[in-house]
Amino acid sequence: MKSAIESLNRKIRESGYRMTKQRAVVLEELSKTNDHPRADEIYQRVRRRLPNISFGTVYRNLKTLKELGLVRELNYGKKFSRFEVNIGKHHHFICLGCGRVYDLDIVPSRKLCEEAAQKTGFEVADCRVEFYGYCDAKEKRNLSDTEIDE
Amino acid sequence: MKSAIESLNRKIRESGYRMTKQRAVVLEELSKTNDHPRADEIYQRVRRRLPNISFGTVYRNLKTLKELGLVRELNYGKKFSRFEVNIGKHHHFICLGCGRVYDLDIVPSRKLCEEAAQKTGFEVADCRVEFYGYCDAKEKRNLSDTEIDE
DNA sequence: TTGACAAATGATAAATAATTTCTATATTCT
DNA sequence: AGAATATAGAAATTATTTATCATTTGTCAA
């Protein structure tokens, strides 16, 4: 696992960036969860370890990590973004009740993309499948989480 | 076609709303296109027929029509909403180059939803499939259209 | 048709709130 | 150590969306 961090460090440095405590912790916190936190949730978590980190730093690092392809930004509704470490193609289940986002390792059929390409005549680069429903989590997240459009 | 408008009128009145020129034109403009305009685009189009209509009225009516289930609001990215008349289940192709949204009459396999329900153990109410790629439209829409996240 | 009341409009101002920017100071890496 | 990059803290931004309110319009009953 050490080599993973090493190669990560190398990648960051090669891009002209530096590996700071703040950047590392943002990435670590995002790596150890699969609950697709918002920027403010990431800020709260990182703050437990780096009490003086500022919101701007979290945003800046999320942006940087996104540029490096290490982090993905997800938008469900237009109020805020959610973030996840980039772990390749997968899809999501979004709870209409509490706003939680879950990973699914379902692989969408190639057929579907081909069908879309045929029908449109356009080049289809990507296909996202999102399932909506209600999860069984007991505690609701805070209100702003529930503001899923439609 | 007259009966369709009649039944629409009835539906609106039964809900305690009134059918105004402004409301009718907003719905008409949205009905005669399938290009998923933003609120400001709808405003521009409606203004060609009702030069004195205000932005607030367009927003108010989009909201009302959404409540009545006649209009759907779509969010790709968090900057603005797009609107379409509610014509039942269908999916979308989103151009990563110009931001245009196209309708697709592809029906996602029931299997996929069942698979998602099985994997999550949750009730899956809806499934949205979005295809991303590049369309062949010559003229680009204005810049704000291109701000598709990711 | 008319009148009355509630709902909708126009014009403008205000809110919303996530994200970005600013700047002096601190940290990283060679 | 030195140059470049990053940070903290706070303020600014951005543009969509909502609220306000006096005036107008739609609906319905008489």
Short mmCIF file of all heavy atoms in Angstrom, two decimals, chain A residues 72-73 75 78 81 93 102 104-106 112 115-116 119-120 122-136 149-150, chain B residues 72-73 75 78 81 93 102 104-106 112-113 115-116 119-120 122-136 149-150:
data_model
loop_
_atom_site.label_atom_id
_atom_site.label_comp_id
_atom_site.label_asym_id
_atom_site.label_seq_id
_atom_site.Cartn_x
_atom_site.Cartn_y
_atom_site.Cartn_z
N ARG A 72 -14.01 12.24 -8.41
CA ARG A 72 -15.12 12.53 -9.31
C ARG A 72 -16.16 13.39 -8.60
O ARG A 72 -16.41 13.20 -7.42
CB ARG A 72 -15.81 11.23 -9.76
CG ARG A 72 -15.12 10.58 -10.93
CD ARG A 72 -16.09 9.95 -11.91
NE ARG A 72 -17.09 9.06 -11.31
CZ ARG A 72 -18.15 8.61 -11.99
NH1 ARG A 72 -18.32 8.94 -13.25
NH2 ARG A 72 -19.00 7.80 -11.40
N GLU A 73 -16.74 14.30 -9.34
CA GLU A 73 -17.79 15.15 -8.80
C GLU A 73 -19.12 14.68 -9.36
O GLU A 73 -19.25 14.47 -10.56
CB GLU A 73 -17.52 16.60 -9.20
CG GLU A 73 -18.49 17.58 -8.59
CD GLU A 73 -18.14 19.02 -8.93
OE1 GLU A 73 -17.10 19.24 -9.58
OE2 GLU A 73 -18.92 19.91 -8.56
N ASN A 75 -23.38 15.31 -9.54
CA ASN A 75 -24.45 16.27 -9.33
C ASN A 75 -25.80 15.61 -9.45
O ASN A 75 -26.15 15.12 -10.51
CB ASN A 75 -24.37 17.40 -10.36
CG ASN A 75 -23.22 18.33 -10.07
OD1 ASN A 75 -22.31 18.46 -10.85
ND2 ASN A 75 -23.26 18.96 -8.93
N LYS A 78 -29.30 20.61 -8.39
CA LYS A 78 -28.33 21.65 -8.68
C LYS A 78 -27.85 22.39 -7.45
O LYS A 78 -27.17 23.38 -7.53
CB LYS A 78 -28.88 22.62 -9.71
CG LYS A 78 -30.09 23.38 -9.27
CD LYS A 78 -30.54 24.33 -10.35
CE LYS A 78 -31.92 24.87 -10.03
NZ LYS A 78 -32.93 23.82 -9.89
N SER A 81 -22.66 19.69 -4.93
CA SER A 81 -22.01 18.53 -5.53
C SER A 81 -21.72 17.49 -4.47
O SER A 81 -21.62 17.79 -3.28
CB SER A 81 -20.68 18.95 -6.16
OG SER A 81 -20.91 19.81 -7.24
N PHE A 93 -27.23 4.39 -6.76
CA PHE A 93 -28.61 4.36 -6.28
C PHE A 93 -28.78 5.59 -5.40
O PHE A 93 -28.00 5.80 -4.47
CB PHE A 93 -28.86 3.10 -5.45
CG PHE A 93 -30.21 3.06 -4.79
CD1 PHE A 93 -31.28 2.43 -5.41
CD2 PHE A 93 -30.41 3.66 -3.56
CE1 PHE A 93 -32.53 2.42 -4.80
CE2 PHE A 93 -31.66 3.65 -2.94
CZ PHE A 93 -32.72 3.02 -3.57
N TYR A 102 -25.57 5.56 -3.07
CA TYR A 102 -24.88 4.29 -2.89
C TYR A 102 -24.22 3.85 -4.20
O TYR A 102 -24.76 4.07 -5.28
CB TYR A 102 -25.88 3.21 -2.47
CG TYR A 102 -26.56 3.47 -1.15
CD1 TYR A 102 -27.71 4.23 -1.07
CD2 TYR A 102 -26.06 2.91 0.04
CE1 TYR A 102 -28.36 4.46 0.14
CE2 TYR A 102 -26.69 3.13 1.25
CZ TYR A 102 -27.85 3.91 1.29
OH TYR A 102 -28.47 4.13 2.50
N LEU A 104 -23.08 1.09 -6.94
CA LEU A 104 -23.56 -0.19 -7.46
C LEU A 104 -22.51 -0.69 -8.44
O LEU A 104 -22.02 0.06 -9.27
CB LEU A 104 -24.88 -0.01 -8.20
CG LEU A 104 -26.13 0.20 -7.36
CD1 LEU A 104 -27.31 0.44 -8.28
CD2 LEU A 104 -26.37 -1.02 -6.50
N ASP A 105 -22.19 -1.95 -8.35
CA ASP A 105 -21.19 -2.46 -9.30
C ASP A 105 -21.85 -3.11 -10.51
O ASP A 105 -21.34 -4.04 -11.09
CB ASP A 105 -20.23 -3.42 -8.60
CG ASP A 105 -20.97 -4.58 -7.96
OD1 ASP A 105 -22.22 -4.54 -7.97
OD2 ASP A 105 -20.32 -5.50 -7.46
N ILE A 106 -22.99 -2.56 -10.85
CA ILE A 106 -23.67 -3.05 -12.05
C ILE A 106 -22.98 -2.48 -13.29
O ILE A 106 -22.67 -1.30 -13.36
CB ILE A 106 -25.14 -2.61 -12.04
CG1 ILE A 106 -25.89 -3.44 -10.99
CG2 ILE A 106 -25.77 -2.77 -13.41
CD1 ILE A 106 -27.33 -3.03 -10.83
N LEU A 112 -27.04 -1.26 -24.72
CA LEU A 112 -27.78 -0.03 -24.46
C LEU A 112 -27.07 1.16 -25.11
O LEU A 112 -27.69 2.00 -25.75
CB LEU A 112 -27.90 0.18 -22.94
CG LEU A 112 -29.15 0.88 -22.43
CD1 LEU A 112 -30.40 0.12 -22.84
CD2 LEU A 112 -29.09 1.02 -20.92
N GLU A 115 -27.36 0.99 -28.82
CA GLU A 115 -28.69 1.39 -29.22
C GLU A 115 -28.81 2.91 -29.25
O GLU A 115 -29.36 3.49 -30.18
CB GLU A 115 -29.72 0.80 -28.23
CG GLU A 115 -31.12 0.70 -28.80
CD GLU A 115 -32.11 0.18 -27.76
OE1 GLU A 115 -31.67 -0.46 -26.78
OE2 GLU A 115 -33.32 0.45 -27.92
N ALA A 116 -28.25 3.52 -28.23
CA ALA A 116 -28.29 4.98 -28.15
C ALA A 116 -27.50 5.61 -29.30
O ALA A 116 -27.93 6.60 -29.89
CB ALA A 116 -27.73 5.46 -26.82
N LYS A 119 -29.59 5.21 -32.45
CA LYS A 119 -30.77 6.08 -32.50
C LYS A 119 -30.41 7.53 -32.71
O LYS A 119 -31.12 8.27 -33.39
CB LYS A 119 -31.58 5.93 -31.20
CG LYS A 119 -32.18 4.54 -31.03
CD LYS A 119 -33.63 4.60 -30.64
CE LYS A 119 -34.18 3.18 -30.49
NZ LYS A 119 -35.63 3.12 -30.44
N THR A 120 -29.32 7.96 -32.11
CA THR A 120 -28.96 9.37 -32.23
C THR A 120 -28.07 9.64 -33.43
O THR A 120 -28.08 10.73 -33.99
CB THR A 120 -28.18 9.84 -30.98
OG1 THR A 120 -27.01 9.03 -30.82
CG2 THR A 120 -29.03 9.74 -29.73
N PHE A 122 -25.03 9.79 -32.95
CA PHE A 122 -23.90 10.48 -32.32
C PHE A 122 -22.96 9.46 -31.69
O PHE A 122 -23.31 8.31 -31.48
CB PHE A 122 -24.39 11.43 -31.22
CG PHE A 122 -25.36 12.46 -31.70
CD1 PHE A 122 -26.33 12.96 -30.84
CD2 PHE A 122 -25.31 12.94 -33.00
CE1 PHE A 122 -27.24 13.92 -31.26
CE2 PHE A 122 -26.21 13.91 -33.43
CZ PHE A 122 -27.18 14.39 -32.55
N GLU A 123 -21.79 9.96 -31.37
CA GLU A 123 -20.83 9.13 -30.66
C GLU A 123 -21.20 9.13 -29.18
O GLU A 123 -21.33 10.18 -28.56
CB GLU A 123 -19.43 9.74 -30.86
CG GLU A 123 -18.30 8.96 -30.23
CD GLU A 123 -17.11 9.87 -29.96
OE1 GLU A 123 -17.02 10.94 -30.63
OE2 GLU A 123 -16.32 9.54 -29.08
N VAL A 124 -21.38 7.97 -28.62
CA VAL A 124 -21.71 7.88 -27.20
C VAL A 124 -20.45 7.53 -26.42
O VAL A 124 -19.87 6.46 -26.58
CB VAL A 124 -22.81 6.82 -26.96
CG1 VAL A 124 -23.03 6.61 -25.47
CG2 VAL A 124 -24.11 7.25 -27.62
N ALA A 125 -20.03 8.46 -25.57
CA ALA A 125 -18.78 8.27 -24.85
C ALA A 125 -19.01 7.61 -23.50
O ALA A 125 -18.18 6.85 -23.01
CB ALA A 125 -18.09 9.62 -24.64
N ASP A 126 -20.14 7.90 -22.92
CA ASP A 126 -20.36 7.43 -21.56
C ASP A 126 -21.84 7.19 -21.35
O ASP A 126 -22.69 7.74 -22.05
CB ASP A 126 -19.85 8.50 -20.58
CG ASP A 126 -19.78 7.97 -19.16
OD1 ASP A 126 -19.77 6.73 -18.98
OD2 ASP A 126 -19.74 8.79 -18.23
N CYS A 127 -22.13 6.36 -20.39
CA CYS A 127 -23.51 6.04 -20.08
C CYS A 127 -23.63 5.96 -18.57
O CYS A 127 -22.86 5.27 -17.92
CB CYS A 127 -23.86 4.70 -20.72
SG CYS A 127 -25.35 3.94 -20.05
N ARG A 128 -24.53 6.72 -18.04
CA ARG A 128 -24.73 6.67 -16.59
C ARG A 128 -26.12 6.14 -16.29
O ARG A 128 -27.10 6.59 -16.87
CB ARG A 128 -24.63 8.06 -15.98
CG ARG A 128 -23.23 8.58 -15.96
CD ARG A 128 -23.19 9.79 -15.06
NE ARG A 128 -22.32 10.78 -15.63
CZ ARG A 128 -22.20 12.02 -15.16
NH1 ARG A 128 -22.93 12.39 -14.13
NH2 ARG A 128 -21.37 12.86 -15.72
N VAL A 129 -26.17 5.22 -15.38
CA VAL A 129 -27.45 4.69 -14.97
C VAL A 129 -27.65 5.06 -13.50
O VAL A 129 -26.78 4.81 -12.68
CB VAL A 129 -27.53 3.18 -15.14
CG1 VAL A 129 -28.92 2.67 -14.79
CG2 VAL A 129 -27.17 2.79 -16.57
N GLU A 130 -28.76 5.68 -13.23
CA GLU A 130 -29.06 6.04 -11.84
C GLU A 130 -30.40 5.45 -11.43
O GLU A 130 -31.39 5.61 -12.11
CB GLU A 130 -29.09 7.56 -11.68
CG GLU A 130 -27.73 8.13 -11.39
CD GLU A 130 -27.38 9.24 -12.35
OE1 GLU A 130 -28.28 9.99 -12.72
OE2 GLU A 130 -26.20 9.33 -12.72
N PHE A 131 -30.34 4.76 -10.30
CA PHE A 131 -31.56 4.16 -9.78
C PHE A 131 -32.06 5.02 -8.64
O PHE A 131 -31.28 5.47 -7.79
CB PHE A 131 -31.27 2.75 -9.30
CG PHE A 131 -30.77 1.84 -10.38
CD1 PHE A 131 -29.42 1.68 -10.61
CD2 PHE A 131 -31.67 1.19 -11.21
CE1 PHE A 131 -28.95 0.87 -11.63
CE2 PHE A 131 -31.21 0.37 -12.25
CZ PHE A 131 -29.86 0.20 -12.45
N TYR A 132 -33.36 5.26 -8.63
CA TYR A 132 -33.96 6.06 -7.57
C TYR A 132 -34.94 5.21 -6.80
O TYR A 132 -35.64 4.38 -7.37
CB TYR A 132 -34.67 7.27 -8.16
CG TYR A 132 -33.73 8.27 -8.76
CD1 TYR A 132 -33.25 8.12 -10.06
CD2 TYR A 132 -33.27 9.35 -8.01
CE1 TYR A 132 -32.36 9.03 -10.60
CE2 TYR A 132 -32.38 10.26 -8.54
CZ TYR A 132 -31.93 10.11 -9.83
OH TYR A 132 -31.04 11.00 -10.36
N GLY A 133 -34.96 5.40 -5.50
CA GLY A 133 -35.88 4.66 -4.68
C GLY A 133 -35.71 5.07 -3.24
O GLY A 133 -35.26 6.18 -2.97
N TYR A 134 -36.05 4.17 -2.34
CA TYR A 134 -35.96 4.51 -0.93
C TYR A 134 -35.10 3.49 -0.21
O TYR A 134 -35.34 2.29 -0.30
CB TYR A 134 -37.35 4.58 -0.31
CG TYR A 134 -38.13 5.75 -0.85
CD1 TYR A 134 -38.91 5.63 -2.00
CD2 TYR A 134 -38.03 7.00 -0.24
CE1 TYR A 134 -39.58 6.71 -2.53
CE2 TYR A 134 -38.71 8.09 -0.76
CZ TYR A 134 -39.48 7.94 -1.91
OH TYR A 134 -40.14 9.03 -2.43
N CYS A 135 -34.09 3.99 0.49
CA CYS A 135 -33.20 3.09 1.22
C CYS A 135 -33.79 2.83 2.60
O CYS A 135 -34.82 3.38 2.97
CB CYS A 135 -31.80 3.67 1.32
SG CYS A 135 -31.59 4.94 2.57
N ASP A 136 -33.12 2.00 3.37
CA ASP A 136 -33.67 1.64 4.67
C ASP A 136 -32.89 2.25 5.83
O ASP A 136 -32.96 1.79 6.95
CB ASP A 136 -33.73 0.12 4.82
CG ASP A 136 -32.36 -0.50 4.59
OD1 ASP A 136 -31.37 0.26 4.49
OD2 ASP A 136 -32.29 -1.74 4.50
N ASP A 149 -33.97 16.87 -6.76
CA ASP A 149 -34.97 17.44 -7.65
C ASP A 149 -35.89 16.36 -8.19
O ASP A 149 -35.49 15.23 -8.38
CB ASP A 149 -34.29 18.15 -8.82
CG ASP A 149 -33.55 19.37 -8.32
OD1 ASP A 149 -34.20 20.23 -7.72
OD2 ASP A 149 -32.33 19.43 -8.51
N GLU A 150 -37.06 16.78 -8.45
CA GLU A 150 -38.14 15.95 -9.00
C GLU A 150 -38.65 14.96 -7.98
O GLU A 150 -37.89 14.16 -7.44
CB GLU A 150 -37.67 15.20 -10.24
CG GLU A 150 -38.83 14.78 -11.10
CD GLU A 150 -38.37 13.74 -12.11
OE1 GLU A 150 -37.22 13.36 -12.05
OE2 GLU A 150 -39.19 13.32 -12.91
N ARG B 72 -41.61 18.71 -16.56
CA ARG B 72 -40.54 18.10 -15.78
C ARG B 72 -39.32 19.01 -15.76
O ARG B 72 -39.01 19.66 -16.76
CB ARG B 72 -40.12 16.76 -16.41
CG ARG B 72 -41.00 15.62 -15.99
CD ARG B 72 -40.23 14.33 -15.78
NE ARG B 72 -39.36 13.95 -16.87
CZ ARG B 72 -38.45 12.98 -16.75
NH1 ARG B 72 -38.32 12.33 -15.61
NH2 ARG B 72 -37.69 12.66 -17.77
N GLU B 73 -38.66 19.02 -14.63
CA GLU B 73 -37.44 19.81 -14.50
C GLU B 73 -36.26 18.85 -14.51
O GLU B 73 -36.25 17.86 -13.79
CB GLU B 73 -37.48 20.59 -13.19
CG GLU B 73 -36.31 21.53 -13.00
CD GLU B 73 -36.43 22.36 -11.73
OE1 GLU B 73 -37.48 22.27 -11.04
OE2 GLU B 73 -35.49 23.10 -11.42
N ASN B 75 -32.01 18.37 -14.23
CA ASN B 75 -30.77 19.00 -13.80
C ASN B 75 -29.58 18.19 -14.25
O ASN B 75 -29.41 17.05 -13.83
CB ASN B 75 -30.73 19.11 -12.28
CG ASN B 75 -31.68 20.18 -11.79
OD1 ASN B 75 -31.61 21.32 -12.23
ND2 ASN B 75 -32.56 19.81 -10.91
N LYS B 78 -25.14 21.80 -11.85
CA LYS B 78 -25.92 22.48 -10.83
C LYS B 78 -26.15 23.95 -11.14
O LYS B 78 -26.61 24.70 -10.30
CB LYS B 78 -25.26 22.33 -9.47
CG LYS B 78 -23.88 22.90 -9.38
CD LYS B 78 -23.32 22.65 -7.98
CE LYS B 78 -21.85 22.94 -7.96
NZ LYS B 78 -21.09 22.11 -8.93
N SER B 81 -31.55 24.84 -14.42
CA SER B 81 -32.45 23.74 -14.74
C SER B 81 -32.82 23.78 -16.21
O SER B 81 -32.77 24.82 -16.85
CB SER B 81 -33.72 23.85 -13.90
OG SER B 81 -33.43 23.67 -12.55
N PHE B 93 -29.83 11.99 -24.08
CA PHE B 93 -28.45 12.07 -24.53
C PHE B 93 -28.00 13.50 -24.30
O PHE B 93 -28.64 14.44 -24.76
CB PHE B 93 -28.35 11.73 -26.03
CG PHE B 93 -26.98 11.95 -26.61
CD1 PHE B 93 -26.06 10.89 -26.69
CD2 PHE B 93 -26.59 13.20 -27.07
CE1 PHE B 93 -24.80 11.09 -27.22
CE2 PHE B 93 -25.31 13.41 -27.60
CZ PHE B 93 -24.42 12.35 -27.67
N TYR B 102 -30.96 15.71 -25.75
CA TYR B 102 -31.85 15.07 -26.73
C TYR B 102 -32.66 13.97 -26.07
O TYR B 102 -32.17 13.28 -25.18
CB TYR B 102 -31.02 14.46 -27.86
CG TYR B 102 -30.20 15.44 -28.67
CD1 TYR B 102 -28.93 15.82 -28.25
CD2 TYR B 102 -30.69 15.98 -29.85
CE1 TYR B 102 -28.16 16.71 -28.99
CE2 TYR B 102 -29.93 16.88 -30.59
CZ TYR B 102 -28.68 17.23 -30.16
OH TYR B 102 -27.93 18.12 -30.89
N LEU B 104 -34.48 10.34 -25.99
CA LEU B 104 -34.29 9.00 -26.55
C LEU B 104 -35.46 8.14 -26.12
O LEU B 104 -35.84 8.16 -24.95
CB LEU B 104 -33.00 8.39 -26.00
CG LEU B 104 -31.67 8.87 -26.56
CD1 LEU B 104 -30.53 8.20 -25.83
CD2 LEU B 104 -31.61 8.57 -28.04
N ASP B 105 -35.99 7.40 -27.04
CA ASP B 105 -37.12 6.56 -26.64
C ASP B 105 -36.66 5.14 -26.31
O ASP B 105 -37.37 4.17 -26.53
CB ASP B 105 -38.20 6.55 -27.71
CG ASP B 105 -37.66 6.08 -29.04
OD1 ASP B 105 -36.44 5.86 -29.13
OD2 ASP B 105 -38.44 5.93 -29.98
N ILE B 106 -35.48 5.06 -25.78
CA ILE B 106 -34.97 3.76 -25.35
C ILE B 106 -35.62 3.36 -24.04
O ILE B 106 -35.71 4.16 -23.12
CB ILE B 106 -33.44 3.83 -25.18
CG1 ILE B 106 -32.78 3.89 -26.55
CG2 ILE B 106 -32.95 2.63 -24.37
CD1 ILE B 106 -31.29 4.03 -26.49
N LEU B 112 -32.29 -4.68 -15.47
CA LEU B 112 -31.34 -3.79 -14.84
C LEU B 112 -31.88 -3.30 -13.49
O LEU B 112 -31.16 -3.29 -12.48
CB LEU B 112 -31.07 -2.60 -15.76
CG LEU B 112 -29.68 -1.97 -15.72
CD1 LEU B 112 -28.62 -2.99 -16.06
CD2 LEU B 112 -29.62 -0.81 -16.69
N CYS B 113 -33.15 -2.91 -13.48
CA CYS B 113 -33.77 -2.44 -12.25
C CYS B 113 -33.85 -3.55 -11.22
O CYS B 113 -33.62 -3.34 -10.04
CB CYS B 113 -35.16 -1.88 -12.54
SG CYS B 113 -35.14 -0.30 -13.41
N GLU B 115 -31.91 -6.08 -11.03
CA GLU B 115 -30.56 -6.33 -10.56
C GLU B 115 -30.18 -5.33 -9.47
O GLU B 115 -29.61 -5.68 -8.43
CB GLU B 115 -29.58 -6.23 -11.73
CG GLU B 115 -28.25 -6.92 -11.49
CD GLU B 115 -27.29 -6.72 -12.67
OE1 GLU B 115 -27.75 -6.40 -13.78
OE2 GLU B 115 -26.07 -6.88 -12.45
N ALA B 116 -30.56 -4.08 -9.71
CA ALA B 116 -30.25 -3.02 -8.74
C ALA B 116 -31.00 -3.27 -7.43
O ALA B 116 -30.45 -3.09 -6.34
CB ALA B 116 -30.62 -1.66 -9.31
N LYS B 119 -29.23 -6.14 -5.64
CA LYS B 119 -27.91 -5.79 -5.08
C LYS B 119 -28.04 -4.87 -3.88
O LYS B 119 -27.25 -4.95 -2.94
CB LYS B 119 -27.06 -5.12 -6.16
CG LYS B 119 -26.72 -6.06 -7.30
CD LYS B 119 -25.24 -6.02 -7.64
CE LYS B 119 -24.95 -6.98 -8.79
NZ LYS B 119 -23.54 -7.29 -8.95
N THR B 120 -29.00 -3.97 -3.93
CA THR B 120 -29.12 -3.02 -2.83
C THR B 120 -30.03 -3.53 -1.72
O THR B 120 -29.85 -3.20 -0.56
CB THR B 120 -29.72 -1.68 -3.32
OG1 THR B 120 -31.00 -1.93 -3.89
CG2 THR B 120 -28.82 -1.02 -4.34
N PHE B 122 -32.95 -2.56 -1.72
CA PHE B 122 -33.89 -1.46 -1.59
C PHE B 122 -34.94 -1.54 -2.68
O PHE B 122 -34.78 -2.25 -3.67
CB PHE B 122 -33.18 -0.11 -1.71
CG PHE B 122 -32.07 0.09 -0.72
CD1 PHE B 122 -30.98 0.87 -1.06
CD2 PHE B 122 -32.13 -0.49 0.54
CE1 PHE B 122 -29.96 1.07 -0.13
CE2 PHE B 122 -31.11 -0.29 1.46
CZ PHE B 122 -30.01 0.49 1.12
N GLU B 123 -36.00 -0.79 -2.47
CA GLU B 123 -37.04 -0.68 -3.49
C GLU B 123 -36.58 0.30 -4.56
O GLU B 123 -36.23 1.42 -4.25
CB GLU B 123 -38.32 -0.17 -2.81
CG GLU B 123 -39.52 -0.11 -3.71
CD GLU B 123 -40.52 0.90 -3.15
OE1 GLU B 123 -40.49 1.15 -1.93
OE2 GLU B 123 -41.29 1.44 -3.96
N VAL B 124 -36.56 -0.14 -5.77
CA VAL B 124 -36.15 0.74 -6.86
C VAL B 124 -37.38 1.29 -7.56
O VAL B 124 -38.14 0.54 -8.16
CB VAL B 124 -35.24 0.01 -7.86
CG1 VAL B 124 -34.96 0.88 -9.06
CG2 VAL B 124 -33.94 -0.40 -7.19
N ALA B 125 -37.57 2.59 -7.46
CA ALA B 125 -38.79 3.19 -8.01
C ALA B 125 -38.60 3.65 -9.44
O ALA B 125 -39.52 3.64 -10.24
CB ALA B 125 -39.21 4.37 -7.14
N ASP B 126 -37.39 4.07 -9.74
CA ASP B 126 -37.16 4.69 -11.03
C ASP B 126 -35.73 4.43 -11.47
O ASP B 126 -34.85 4.17 -10.67
CB ASP B 126 -37.41 6.20 -10.92
CG ASP B 126 -37.47 6.87 -12.28
OD1 ASP B 126 -37.69 6.16 -13.27
OD2 ASP B 126 -37.31 8.10 -12.33
N CYS B 127 -35.54 4.50 -12.75
CA CYS B 127 -34.21 4.29 -13.30
C CYS B 127 -34.00 5.29 -14.42
O CYS B 127 -34.84 5.40 -15.31
CB CYS B 127 -34.13 2.86 -13.83
SG CYS B 127 -32.77 2.57 -14.95
N ARG B 128 -32.95 6.03 -14.33
CA ARG B 128 -32.66 6.99 -15.38
C ARG B 128 -31.36 6.63 -16.06
O ARG B 128 -30.36 6.35 -15.41
CB ARG B 128 -32.48 8.39 -14.79
CG ARG B 128 -33.77 8.99 -14.33
CD ARG B 128 -33.56 10.46 -14.10
NE ARG B 128 -34.28 10.87 -12.92
CZ ARG B 128 -34.13 12.05 -12.33
NH1 ARG B 128 -33.25 12.91 -12.82
NH2 ARG B 128 -34.83 12.35 -11.28
N VAL B 129 -31.41 6.65 -17.35
CA VAL B 129 -30.21 6.37 -18.12
C VAL B 129 -29.84 7.63 -18.89
O VAL B 129 -30.67 8.21 -19.57
CB VAL B 129 -30.42 5.20 -19.09
CG1 VAL B 129 -29.11 4.87 -19.79
CG2 VAL B 129 -30.96 3.99 -18.35
N GLU B 130 -28.61 8.05 -18.72
CA GLU B 130 -28.15 9.21 -19.46
C GLU B 130 -26.91 8.86 -20.27
O GLU B 130 -25.96 8.30 -19.76
CB GLU B 130 -27.81 10.34 -18.48
CG GLU B 130 -29.01 11.18 -18.15
CD GLU B 130 -29.20 11.33 -16.68
OE1 GLU B 130 -28.20 11.41 -15.97
OE2 GLU B 130 -30.36 11.35 -16.22
N PHE B 131 -26.99 9.21 -21.53
CA PHE B 131 -25.86 8.96 -22.41
C PHE B 131 -25.12 10.27 -22.64
O PHE B 131 -25.74 11.30 -22.86
CB PHE B 131 -26.35 8.39 -23.73
CG PHE B 131 -27.06 7.08 -23.57
CD1 PHE B 131 -28.45 7.05 -23.45
CD2 PHE B 131 -26.37 5.88 -23.51
CE1 PHE B 131 -29.12 5.84 -23.27
CE2 PHE B 131 -27.03 4.67 -23.34
CZ PHE B 131 -28.41 4.66 -23.22
N TYR B 132 -23.82 10.20 -22.57
CA TYR B 132 -23.01 11.39 -22.79
C TYR B 132 -22.13 11.18 -24.01
O TYR B 132 -21.63 10.07 -24.24
CB TYR B 132 -22.13 11.67 -21.57
CG TYR B 132 -22.93 12.11 -20.37
CD1 TYR B 132 -23.51 11.16 -19.53
CD2 TYR B 132 -23.13 13.45 -20.10
CE1 TYR B 132 -24.27 11.56 -18.43
CE2 TYR B 132 -23.88 13.86 -19.02
CZ TYR B 132 -24.45 12.91 -18.18
OH TYR B 132 -25.19 13.30 -17.11
N GLY B 133 -21.97 12.23 -24.78
CA GLY B 133 -21.14 12.13 -25.97
C GLY B 133 -21.11 13.46 -26.67
O GLY B 133 -21.33 14.50 -26.06
N TYR B 134 -20.86 13.41 -27.97
CA TYR B 134 -20.78 14.65 -28.72
C TYR B 134 -21.74 14.61 -29.88
O TYR B 134 -21.72 13.68 -30.68
CB TYR B 134 -19.35 14.88 -29.21
CG TYR B 134 -18.42 15.14 -28.04
CD1 TYR B 134 -17.79 14.10 -27.39
CD2 TYR B 134 -18.24 16.44 -27.57
CE1 TYR B 134 -16.96 14.33 -26.30
CE2 TYR B 134 -17.43 16.69 -26.48
CZ TYR B 134 -16.79 15.64 -25.85
OH TYR B 134 -16.00 15.88 -24.76
N CYS B 135 -22.59 15.62 -29.95
CA CYS B 135 -23.56 15.68 -31.02
C CYS B 135 -22.94 16.36 -32.23
O CYS B 135 -21.81 16.83 -32.16
CB CYS B 135 -24.83 16.39 -30.58
SG CYS B 135 -24.72 18.19 -30.57
N ASP B 136 -23.67 16.44 -33.32
CA ASP B 136 -23.09 17.01 -34.53
C ASP B 136 -23.66 18.37 -34.87
O ASP B 136 -23.57 18.82 -36.00
CB ASP B 136 -23.28 16.05 -35.70
CG ASP B 136 -24.76 15.71 -35.89
OD1 ASP B 136 -25.61 16.35 -35.24
OD2 ASP B 136 -25.05 14.81 -36.68
N ASP B 149 -21.15 19.51 -15.76
CA ASP B 149 -20.17 19.05 -14.78
C ASP B 149 -19.51 17.76 -15.21
O ASP B 149 -20.13 16.93 -15.84
CB ASP B 149 -20.83 18.86 -13.42
CG ASP B 149 -21.27 20.21 -12.88
OD1 ASP B 149 -20.41 21.08 -12.74
OD2 ASP B 149 -22.47 20.38 -12.62
N GLU B 150 -18.30 17.64 -14.79
CA GLU B 150 -17.46 16.47 -15.05
C GLU B 150 -17.00 16.40 -16.48
O GLU B 150 -17.81 16.39 -17.38
CB GLU B 150 -18.20 15.18 -14.71
CG GLU B 150 -17.24 14.04 -14.44
CD GLU B 150 -17.98 12.72 -14.49
OE1 GLU B 150 -19.17 12.73 -14.77
OE2 GLU B 150 -17.35 11.71 -14.26
#
